[in-house]
Amino acid sequence: MRQSFRRMMTIVRKEWLHIIRDPRTLALVIVLPVMMLFLLGYAVANDVKDIPLAVADLSHTDTSRTLVDKLTVSEFFMYTHAAQSENEILAMMDAGIVKAGLYIPESFGRDVSTGGVGTIQFYIDGSNPTIAQTAQLAAETISQSMSQEILIKRLERSGTGMQLGLPVDVRMRYLYNPDMKRMNFMIPGLVAIILQVQTLLLTAFAIVREREQGTLEQLIVTPVRSWELMLGKILPFVVVAFVNVVMTVAVGAIWFGVDVVGSSALLAGLSLIFLLGSLGLGVLISNISKTQMQAMYLASFIMMPSFILAGLLFPRENMPWLAYYAGYFLPVTYFLEIVRGIILKGADFFTLWVWIWPMAVFSIVVFFASVLLFHKRL
Amino acid sequence: MAISVEALLLTKQYSSQPKGSRPALDAVDLHVEAGQLYGLVGPDGAGKTTLLRILSTVMNPTSGSARLMGYDVNKQAEQIRSRLGYMPQAFSLYPDLSVMENLRFFADINGVSHGKQKSRIDELLEFARLTDFTSRRSENLSGGMRKKLALACALVHEPEILLLDEPTTGVDPVSRRELWQLLAKVIQQGVTVLVSTPYMDEAERCNMVSIIYQGRILTTGAPVDLERQMPFRIVEVKAKPRGTLRQVVDKIDGGYGWRAVGDRLRLSVVDPAGVQARIKANLETAGAQISILREARILMEDVFIYLVEQQEKQA
């Protein structure tokens, strides 16, 4: 046993030297998560607002100006261009100068004030569905609330003497992510990405490199056992992955204000279990790859579905049933629920149990299978 | 004498080979006595690496068995590994680790105690003349120095048997000589050495040689005995103009053909005196100028060519 431990630590020491001696990889390992954090934070996750809007107000009345004000005050739209006609709006839409256009015909103000129906035309650039949906929803909501206000005024003026209000008052309250910030959705996802992608790739590379270099042949004839070799190679990457997770969560909290509501110790513990599965997959990939290039391609077979099906970037609820259930075959799906649960909701072990046990079973099976399947033969 | 390495009917058919094709290793028998410097000589693709990989427990044979120090390579690999030094053909040390770090790594992984390590490593550095390069990364070593470091790493745990796969391939002539001198020292310390090489001249440095070709052992014996057993003698001739020399030699049927070595032609003949007389007469008639015409010593290369030709005649 002491001999075993000594041999394993010899591998660990050597692996550390490899990591430290290769500054480019080391830099990537540390810089990549931070870079992804900022990319997701500033480039991808920006919630839709200030959609450039062109307005052609031919009505020139208080009512029409109120409508335009309400749209721009909402922050969904930014009044960037004034137009004189419908055609001018369409030309600006074609050129991509504005993403939305509002045409208020000359008769609008008169129609509304005389108790009729004032028609307005709203244009939306549908090429980006996210922007289009937001714009549509915002425009509808704003115009409806304005219609209601006008309706109430008309009824009051008709002299029923009643205090009029809307019969149903819906009060929304968001739990867990009160500000509806995209970053709150992203940071937990990023923790999962780092643990899945980085550890899988680094482990696979570390073992395939020995094969590519020919050093594996030399290692085979030494007394080191398969599991000593595997554990020795894996341990340094567990440390690296953990440093990265801590860093991601810390930057998330300090810079983006996404605090960990739940227990950090629980998060660390469950991350470790998930990590075992990722490392195991890396070892399995390295077992069937002869070159680092092959390992890279094989890894993307696991990585792409993880990104898309597990609910990392897109909510799983909107997926077709096949994609939805396929997600259950990916351990990262469970882990995402766990990380979001702990960071955003402060969920505890028992609440998360439904997600924990499938992930734990997967991780442990894959990990032990990978270590046992590694044969010290060419 | 005790047998250190013993292989019986060792056969290896790679799964990548088409079915029914000649196996990479075809029923090979091998007996290496303890303390010998044993040479495995053959051209590229003969099966040298396959044989050494099976003996070093790196690879499993398809059939047949092999024992090292009495332990079976299939079933008792762990017992063999702690007593075996193996140096693969390709450079197989860590390029980003220094000379010292590589040596320490292989000492640790082989379970050399810390007390013993320092003196053993110092001794090997001295032996391989690498004392001045301990902090240099192995990727920055010259070809010859890399081989010497690999040899030192293979010896760090004082193995009883050393298996070397083409240690001198791709190394300059000076380093090649140095490596063979090192092997001689290893033998003096009582280690059994099995070394493969594609260079026939290197075979002469071994106590015992097996010539391997197309997965089969063609012959085994001490180099001197092998040369003596051949049914031919060698006549060496050098003359000008060389075109005339070739024409003359082509017409003489000495028995086993001829080949050019440097600026001379070597004929394998049954009757060296008669052939010499005929060459002399014919060359003089053709007006050529003879500078060398004599019987020469049989070399391993001549033995090898003769055996391969016999093999091909049979097939």
Side-chain angles (χ1 to χ4, degrees):
Chain A
M1 203 57 213
R2 255 187 63 221
Q3 282 293 322
S4 269
F5 184 73
R6 206 186 135 191
R7 284 193 292 259
M8 191 180 79
M9 288 318 287
T10 303
I11 301 280
V12 170
R13 258 199 310 279
K14 172 183 80 73
E15 223 53 37
W16 257 125
L17 285 175
H18 289 322
I19 294 174
I20 295 164
R21 292 287 158 82
D22 185 4
R24 277 168 302 179
T25 310
L26 187 65
L28 268 178
V29 165
I30 294 169
V31 169
L32 195 72
V34 177
M35 195 185 80
M36 279 167 92
L37 207 59
F38 281 90
L39 278 178
L40 288 171
Y42 289 113
V44 182
N46 262 346
D47 297 314
V48 180
K49 61 176 194 184
D50 292 338
I51 301 167
L53 173 76
V55 178
D57 181 6
L58 305 187
S59 171
H60 296 295
T61 53
D62 275 349
T63 324
S64 67
R65 275 190 287 272
T66 309
L67 177 64
V68 175
D69 280 349
K70 277 182 182 288
L71 283 173
T72 49
V73 161
S74 74
E75 284 190 344
F76 285 108
F77 300 99
M78 192 155 72
Y79 186 170
T80 55
H81 292 79
Q84 302 307 322
S85 66
E86 233 173 325
N87 283 339
E88 205 180 330
I89 292 177
L90 289 175
M92 281 191 254
M93 300 273 294
D94 282 345
I97 302 169
V98 293
K99 300 284 176 202
L102 174 64
Y103 173 71
I104 307 173
E106 206 187 333
S107 59
F108 175 75
R110 195 174 55 242
D111 289 343
V112 173
S113 56
T114 56
V117 175
T119 308
I120 51 169
Q121 179 68 51
F122 204 83
Y123 294 99
I124 297 169
D125 180 348
S127 52
N128 183 334
T130 315
I131 295 180
Q133 275 167 19
T134 312
Q136 186 193 341
L137 203 66
E140 276 174 7
T141 315
I142 290 163
S143 56
Q144 263 169 26
S145 83
M146 196 174 153
S147 293
Q148 284 166 354
E149 278 171 31
I150 293 169
L151 214 58
I152 290 169
K153 270 186 201 144
R154 280 182 189 168
L155 285 169
E156 281 174 345
R157 220 179 294 137
S158 71
T160 55
M162 278 165 64
Q163 260 297 54
L164 283 167
L166 287 173
V168 178
D169 181 14
V170 180
R171 295 196 178 167
M172 294 283 188
R173 197 180 131 219
Y174 289 113
L175 297 170
Y176 316 133
N177 185 3
D179 305 327
M180 281 306 280
K181 276 195 300 191
R182 191 75 78 88
M183 258 344 246
N184 290 349
F185 181 72
M186 284 295 173
I187 299 257
L190 208 53
V191 171
I193 295 187
I194 292 166
L195 287 180
Q196 171 87 70
V197 176
Q198 270 203 345
T199 49
L200 188 139
L201 274 182
L202 290 174
T203 319
F205 278 7
I207 297 167
V208 175
R209 193 172 48 224
E210 299 255 3
R211 206 185 295 273
E212 230 174 21
Q213 271 174 188
T215 42
L216 189 64
E217 194 174 342
Q218 189 80 70
L219 278 181
I220 289 172
V221 295
T222 68
V224 70
R225 310 271 147 123
S226 298
W227 66 267
E228 296 160 4
L229 180 59
M230 285 299 110
L231 283 186
K233 292 204 78 97
I234 283 171
L235 273 175
F237 293 107
V238 174
V239 176
V240 170
F242 243 84
V243 169
N244 273 331
V245 166
V246 170
M247 217 161 58
T248 310
V249 173
V251 172
I254 295 164
W255 191 270
F256 292 101
V258 183
D259 292 318
V260 181
V261 181
S263 151
S264 299
L266 184 63
L267 183 63
L270 293 174
S271 295
L272 191 67
I273 293 176
F274 177 70
L275 202 59
L276 288 183
S278 268
L279 292 164
L281 281 175
V283 175
L284 282 179
I285 285 175
S286 69
N287 266 346
I288 47 176
S289 311
K290 286 212 168 68
T291 61
Q292 296 187 54
M293 191 64 104
Q294 279 179 2
M296 181 79 194
Y297 279 116
L298 270 169
S300 42
F301 267 105
I302 295 171
M303 277 150 50
M304 280 313 284
S306 298
F307 275 120
I308 292 165
L309 297 179
L312 211 60
L313 301 174
F314 319 107
R316 288 177 69 230
E317 286 70 20
N318 299 348
M319 292 177 188
W321 66 271
L322 186 65
Y324 182 80
Y325 286 104
Y328 283 122
F329 289 97
L330 294 163
V332 69
T333 305
Y334 303 95
F335 186 58
L336 267 174
E337 293 289 344
I338 293 170
V339 182
R340 290 196 177 123
I342 295 175
I343 294 185
L344 300 181
K345 306 184 195 171
D348 63 16
F349 183 82
F350 299 101
T351 321
L352 294 171
W353 177 245
V354 279
W355 303 107
I356 292 173
W357 76 261
M359 182 187 83
V361 167
F362 175 91
S363 288
I364 290 165
V365 167
V366 168
F367 183 76
F368 281 102
S370 71
V371 173
L372 294 177
L373 281 176
F374 179 81
H375 279 297
K376 266 184 62 186
R377 297 273 165 157
L378 275 189
Chain B
M1 261 298 192
I3 300 288
S4 275
V5 181
E6 185 175 37
L8 287 173
L9 294 172
L10 216 50
T11 301
K12 178 74 183 182
Q13 178 97 38
Y14 287 101
S15 51
S16 57
Q17 288 181 306
K19 276 211 166 124
S21 66
R22 185 177 47 78
L25 214 56
D26 194 358
V28 164
D29 287 352
L30 200 71
H31 304 275
V32 181
E33 285 176 15
Q36 271 182 337
L37 175 55
Y38 197 108
L40 198 58
V41 193
D44 291 346
K48 302 187 296 290
T49 297
T50 305
L51 179 54
L52 285 173
R53 279 185 170 166
I54 291 172
L55 293 178
S56 59
T57 76
V58 169
M59 191 186 262
N60 290 323
T62 311
S63 64
S65 66
R67 289 178 166 274
L68 269 77
M69 299 156 286
Y71 297 109
D72 188 285
V73 290
N74 272 338
K75 295 168 202 144
Q76 295 165 300
E78 296 305 331
Q79 283 94 323
I80 293 174
R81 283 168 183 163
S82 54
R83 297 171 172 82
L84 173 76
Y86 171 55
M87 185 172 151
Q89 186 174 354
F91 178 63
S92 57
L93 303 176
Y94 296 99
D96 51 339
L97 300 194
S98 71
V99 168
M100 188 52 112
E101 284 162 348
N102 268 299
L103 279 164
R104 285 219 181 104
F105 172 74
F106 284 104
D108 280 336
I109 207 88
N110 278 299
V112 179
S113 68
H114 285 284
K116 258 188 174 177
Q117 246 183 57
K118 197 184 170 321
S119 62
R120 181 63 182 161
I121 287 176
D122 283 348
E123 185 188 327
L124 285 168
L125 284 170
E126 182 80 14
F127 158 85
R129 295 203 212 147
L130 288 169
T131 313
D132 295 338
F133 304 96
T134 48
S135 57
R136 190 181 286 193
R137 288 195 190 182
S138 74
E139 62 192 344
N140 297 330
L141 294 175
S142 70
M145 280 158 91
R146 285 182 184 189
K147 293 281 185 183
K148 287 192 291 181
L149 175 59
L151 180 61
C153 287
L155 287 169
V156 76
H157 58 299
E158 300 183 70
E160 293 169 38
I161 299 182
L162 183 62
L163 303 180
L164 305 151
D165 195 2
E166 299 197 17
T168 56
T169 302
V171 173
D172 70 77
V174 178
S175 303
R176 265 171 72 178
R177 253 193 71 200
E178 205 184 342
L179 270 166
W180 278 101
Q181 284 164 357
L182 292 180
L183 288 188
K185 278 190 201 166
V186 173
I187 290 290
Q188 276 169 18
Q189 288 162 9
V191 180
T192 309
V193 178
L194 175 57
V195 55
S196 78
T197 173
Y199 303 117
M200 301 298 156
D201 57 322
E202 291 187 339
E204 324 235 355
R205 296 174 180 268
C206 302
N207 309 128
M208 205 64 164
V209 166
S210 277
I211 294 183
I212 184 168
Y213 181 67
Q214 297 193 335
R216 293 202 183 115
I217 302 258
L218 298 184
T219 191
T220 295
V224 196
D225 292 337
L226 289 181
E227 287 154 13
R228 214 176 283 148
Q229 283 161 12
M230 292 298 111
F232 57 82
R233 294 285 165 267
I234 295 291
V235 169
E236 195 177 53
V237 55
K238 180 182 172 185
K240 274 183 189 171
R242 298 180 74 179
T244 317
L245 173 62
R246 281 180 185 243
Q247 280 170 6
V248 167
V249 168
D250 259 339
K251 280 183 201 134
I252 288 169
D253 182 17
Y256 297 99
W258 60 272
R259 64 193 173 94
V261 178
D263 56 355
R264 300 160 197 196
L265 302 187
R266 285 172 75 89
L267 293 82
S268 303
V269 300
V270 182
D271 168 24
V275 168
Q276 278 187 68
R278 265 147 64 204
I279 290 176
K280 188 164 190 270
N282 290 358
L283 280 175
E284 278 166 357
T285 317
Q289 222 182 338
I290 305 169
S291 47
I292 295 173
L293 178 61
R294 64 183 177 210
E295 186 173 344
R297 198 170 81 84
I298 296 184
L299 299 174
M300 278 309 289
E301 200 145 354
D302 304 309
V303 175
F304 174 74
I305 288 168
Y306 167 76
L307 289 170
V308 166
E309 279 171 359
Q310 291 302 107
Q311 175 85 5
E312 255 143 38
K313 259 180 223 162
Q314 277 173 22

